[in-house]
Structures are given as structure tokens and as C-alpha cells.
Amino acid sequence: MRLLPFLDLGRLHRSIRDPLDEAYRRVVDSGWFIMGPELEAFEAEFARYCEVRHCIGVGNGLEALHLLLRAYGIGPGDEVIVPSNTFIATWLAVTECGATPVPVEPNIETHNIDPGLIAAALSKRTRAIIPVHLYGQPANMDPINELAARHGLIVIEDAAQAQGARYKGRRAGSLGAAAATSFYPGKNLGALGDGGAVLTDDDAIAEQVRQLRNYGSKVKYQHDLAGYNSRLDELQAAFLRTKLAVLDGWNARRGEIAGRYSQLLANTAISLPAVPDDADPVWHLYVIRSKNRDALKANLEQQGIATVIHYPVPPHRQGCYPEFAGRQLPVSETLANEVLSLPMDPLMTFADVERVADAIRKFASVDGEMLGQ
Ligand SMILES: *Cc1c(COP(=O)(O)O)cnc(C)c1O
């Protein structure tokens, strides 16, 4: 039985081995490893790609969010609207600043924050909203931006899963006041290690983040802010330049794979991802829902097909947030019990996709009979 991995990063990188080797050699030969020409070039290239004025490379996605919140002066006593259904980093960035995350439930079809539920979650202390483009699907940004403008709130996108996605023709990362993204290896644009970036059109915020990432310093050995050491190193910047050149091709292939999954899995008991008309997603993940998720996952595993759950435990149920333990967030809890991410890898073949879909259809029909459907 041939194993079908969830994502084969080794194979993906072997397919661009020569340009990666050349990027490595360029950095080693230059003798310059932090805050040099590769970072400067990558920042310019990725800013252009995301259609914003500024890209600031930082240590990782969590730090990108955290530095942005600090740059906006968000801290103790402030509240920040976050999706109840997201990776923990969105919440951790808020608590790291001493501010309070205020969770808002998602739309169960898109899995993204439901803009209609935000108004009820606002208070006098609310300062910002962090919509997440979960699984590579842009959040419904227009109503979020309108609400934010009416209440004087800052909109910070968490675009960690959405490099290249578009909403109404505009790039993820350019849809709010500022955005944070992650180059964790498994992301659509992944480094060969940790990395992240802040994106914004705001000159003053860009300047603040540049300063914060580098010990709070604008001039060497002069520290006007108590900053951090959170920089995207030259080696990662060079690898990211190489991978940015193939991102659109890989995203397009993800789209073909998603389209094939949706075709093959239509008319089963499985819920498929919904794509709003105004969204152009990049399929970081292809996430289905099943009432019998755990049995389905085990069944696929027996057939050598790897799947992952994003995410099995929502942030409010995590041990690090005992203050949220009693909160009822039923949509997020349902999603945590039902979601399953299918293999998604730009180098998957349609035969691989068919193998996964066949196994799911077989399970769903037997499962449906058992349930008397
Ligand atoms: C990956 C991710 C992050 C954090 O990025 P890191 O680089 O791992 O710190 C934040 N938000 C979301 C939605 C993510 O998927």
C-alpha cells in the first residue's frame, strides 16, 4: 500500500532544488546573514506581490501580529475581536500584549468570522478586529471594514494562510489597515524554517514595526523603544524569494486539486468547503465536515491516506485560557468535532485526489446506510 502523505515538503523542495541551492550559495558567499540585501529584496518583491507599500520581515507569524498590535499601542485594558475558530496564535498575540481577546463565532459554511455577530461583541474598550483568512479563504472584509470605520476600530488581517488569495480582486494582506503573515514551512509561501511579515500601506506603522523588530532601534545602539529581536534572516529571505517565484503556479495547482475534490465529493453526506462569489481562495487547506469525522479519519488512515484536523481544540478550550473554559461557542465546537483536512499538496496528481475521494465516497455510503440515511 502506497502511503499518501498530507503534504510532502521534501518532494516539493526537491522540485526547486537548483534555485534553492543557488539562493543558499548566494547568502553563504555574501557573508551577510541578518538585515541585508536578500531581506531588502524580498520585502520589496512581496510588498509588490501583495499590492501594499510596505513589507517588514519578522521572526514568525505570531510576532508579526504581536508587533503590529504593539505598533498600534494596543495593551492592557484593550479588547480585540478575534475569531473563535482560528489557530491559537491569533489569540496569543492579543494576550501577549496584555489585551483581552473577544471571540466571535464563524459562519459555519465559510468557517470565517461572521461579520453580523461582531457588533454585539463590541464594548467601549474594543480597539481592533483581527479577521483571519482561514484555510486560504478570504474573510468577508467589506462589512468588517464598514463596522470598524463606524466605531473607529483598527482592522488587522491574519493572512498567515492566505498568501496570494484575493477578495473582490484585491490581495489578502491589503484589505485592512495592516496584515500579518507567516512563512512557517507548511504555509502556501513557506520558508525552510520560521519566518513572518507585516504588510501595510501605513508609513508610520511600518516604521514602528521596523524599529520594534530590531531592538527598538532606528540608529545602531540607540533604543527609543523597548523592542524585540524578531527578524527574518538572509537565508530565509533568499529561500522565500525563490519560492515566491513559484507561488502562483503552486496556488493554481491547489485550486485544481480543490476543484477536483469538490467534483468527486458532490452529493455525499460530506459537507464541502463553500466559496463565496467575491472570494478567490488559495486552498491552504481543503477542509470537509462529517458527523462521523473520527471514524472517517481512522478509515482513511487504514488505507494509507493521511489527514489532519485543523483544529481539534478551539482556543477557548485550551489549558492556557482557563478564563474562557466556561464560554459557550457552539459553532466552533461543532467545527472542532467535524472538520477534516484532506491531503493538499501542489505536486499531488489527480490519481491521488481520486484515491482519496473514492475512499471517502465508499465510507460515506456505508456510513449513510448505517445511519439509515
Ligand atoms: C501559522 C499561523 C499563525 C502563526 O504563524 P507562525 O509563523 O507559526 O508563528 C498565525 N495565524 C494563523 C491563522 C496561522 O495559520
Side-chain angles (χ1 to χ4, degrees), residues 156-220:
I156 297 171
E157 300 169 74
D158 180 339
Q161 302 189 357
Q163 290 113 357
R166 288 184 187 274
Y167 169 82
K168 299 194 174 174
R170 283 149 51 222
R171 285 270 194 221
S174 74
L175 303 168
T181 197
S182 161
F183 306 124
Y184 179 79
K187 305 284 157 109
N188 289 38
L189 179 60
L192 275 66
D194 274 316
V198 162
L199 302 159
T200 187
D201 280 329
D202 186 322
D203 298 345
I205 289 297
E207 189 60 39
Q208 280 268 318
V209 172
R210 276 185 203 287
Q211 201 173 339
L212 284 171
R213 76 169 168 184
N214 192 30
Y215 300 112
S217 170
K218 266 197 246 189
V219 178
K220 198 161 188 176

Side-chain angles (χ1 to χ4, degrees), residues 24 27 47 75 80 105 122 198 201 203 208 222 227 242 259 271 279 310 326 332 336-337 362 366-367 369:
Y24 169 79
V27 174
V80 178
E105 288 265 72
L122 300 180
V198 162
D201 280 329
D203 298 345
Q208 280 268 318
Q222 187 181 317
T242 301
S271 302
H310 298 94
S332 291
N337 291 329
K362 232 170 257 156
V366 173
D367 186 46
E369 278 163 31

Side-chain angles (χ1 to χ4, degrees), residues 261-281:
Y261 272 136
S262 292
Q263 240 172 14
L264 296 168
L265 293 172
N267 308 314
T268 65
I270 305 289
S271 302
L272 303 181
V275 182
D277 286 342
D278 49 18
D280 201 350

Side-chain angles (χ1 to χ4, degrees), residues 59-65 86-91 132-135 158-162 180-185 187 193-196 284 311:
N60 55 63
L62 172 59
E63 283 287 284
L65 281 167
T86 181
F87 179 58
I88 190 87
T90 318
W91 288 45
V132 177
H133 307 308
L134 201 65
Y135 311 147
D158 180 339
Q161 302 189 357
T181 197
S182 161
F183 306 124
Y184 179 79
K187 305 284 157 109
D194 274 316
H284 174 58
Y311 298 92

Side-chain angles (χ1 to χ4, degrees), residues 104-105 113-121 140 143-144 147:
V104 168
E105 288 265 72
I113 193 166
D114 184 339
L117 301 178
I118 296 176
N140 188 3
I144 295 172
L147 188 93

